[in-house]
Amino acid sequence: MQNRPTEDQIRTQFVTSLMEYFKIEEDINLRAHVADLVRTVHPSQYREFFRRLSLREMPYKNGFEKIALIAEEFETQALTPIDQEAQERAENLYSLMYDIRRDVSLVKDGEKSALERFEAIRFTSIKHLNQEKPLLDETDINVVKILTKRWIYDYVSLDRSLFSSRVTHEYRNEILRRERSRNETLSAPLKTKLITSVKRT
């Protein structure tokens, strides 16, 4: 009776196949890098992964970049709507806060530090040119309040990965709280109706 390969063995073979496909030199560090790029791809998706690779030309991308792009597609598809929204909001907040921090840092002011100028900005008033709607809504502002402007100022240019993971986590919590609150609001009339119905019987 033939032994079936374990998931680890299948994953190792997948990484080997990718390295051979892109003629990547066999090296422990390069192998580890490829393995890290595809860590979220499930073995059941390997065939589809290669199918997508073969259909894309991507002439200006190297092997690592092509692997990363396809792996990102699978990761995005696996996200729940809440995780996807949290991730998108975190990316948007990073870009906005990075630009604001850079702009206030370039201003010369003997009376106020760059941090003080950053903290003085009313994020609820930031809008796109010729747009009425603010860039940040209630969900964004609640996350900013939790993080504090000082934390954002310190970490937005210091460590992007830490900023992204912390902010995505806070967004996920805030979106869950928002959805619970919305569901409770929607179910409140139904509860009232049920209670009234029970009292009448």
Side-chain angles (χ1 to χ4, degrees):
M1 185 175 171
Q2 192 174 3
N3 290 331
R4 296 187 65 181
T6 65
E7 189 169 312
D8 283 345
Q9 288 171 329
I10 295 169
R11 188 173 294 278
T12 299
Q13 183 54 53
F14 177 57
V15 171
T16 301
S17 298
L18 284 170
M19 292 177 72
E20 290 173 355
Y21 185 87
F22 289 109
K23 297 180 172 56
I24 297 169
E25 179 189 350
E26 182 58 59
D27 174 89
I28 190 168
N29 295 313
L30 296 178
R31 175 173 284 277
H33 182 54
V34 173
D36 189 52
L37 290 174
V38 296
R39 71 189 181 283
T40 59
V41 182
H42 191 269
S44 64
Q45 299 169 317
Y46 291 166
R47 188 186 297 272
E48 174 63 13
F49 193 99
F50 272 109
R51 191 187 73 81
R52 293 190 193 186
L53 272 178
S54 64
L55 292 175
R56 306 286 171 81
E57 290 188 13
M58 299 184 277
Y60 304 109
K61 303 286 184 187
N62 64 36
F64 295 116
E65 291 170 326
K66 291 175 183 178
I67 292 168
L69 279 170
I70 303 296
E72 190 178 346
E73 287 180 14
F74 281 98
E75 189 173 358
T76 302
Q77 289 167 4
L79 293 176
T80 66
I82 286 174
D83 286 333
Q84 195 158 350
E85 182 183 347
Q87 200 170 83
E88 287 169 5
R89 282 181 178 268
E91 287 171 9
N92 291 337
L93 190 71
Y94 179 88
S95 298
L96 179 63
M97 295 302 157
Y98 185 91
D99 289 344
I100 292 172
R101 188 191 192 284
R102 182 197 59 215
D103 291 346
V104 299
S105 299
L106 292 173
V107 176
K108 294 194 185 328
D109 187 335
E111 294 181 11
K112 287 185 178 178
S113 68
L115 173 59
E116 288 172 321
R117 291 194 299 278
F118 185 86
E119 288 182 322
I121 294 170
R122 291 184 64 234
F123 294 154
T124 50
S125 303
I126 301 171
K127 299 174 183 175
H128 274 306
L129 196 63
N130 302 322
Q131 294 284 324
E132 287 298 314
K133 195 176 176 183
L135 277 176
L136 302 180
D137 62 14
E138 185 183 359
T139 302
D140 299 309
I141 297 303
N142 287 343
V143 167
V144 169
K145 285 177 181 174
I146 292 164
L147 294 167
T148 75
K149 288 182 177 180
R150 177 179 287 274
W151 187 91
I152 291 171
Y153 183 86
D154 286 342
Y155 281 92
V156 75
S157 64
L158 180 66
D159 189 330
R160 179 163 189 169
S161 61
L162 175 61
F163 183 94
S164 297
S165 60
R166 167 90 195 275
V167 176
T168 302
H169 173 75
E170 296 300 348
Y171 265 121
R172 192 180 293 112
N173 289 342
E174 182 59 26
I175 293 164
L176 284 168
R177 187 202 60 75
R178 182 194 71 194
E179 293 303 311
R180 274 197 299 268
S181 176
R182 188 179 291 167
N183 291 337
E184 285 169 8
T185 303
L186 288 171
S187 64
L190 181 61
K191 282 182 184 175
T192 306
K193 194 173 180 180
L194 285 170
I195 291 167
T196 306
S197 175
V198 169
K199 282 181 178 177
R200 283 177 182 167
T201 56

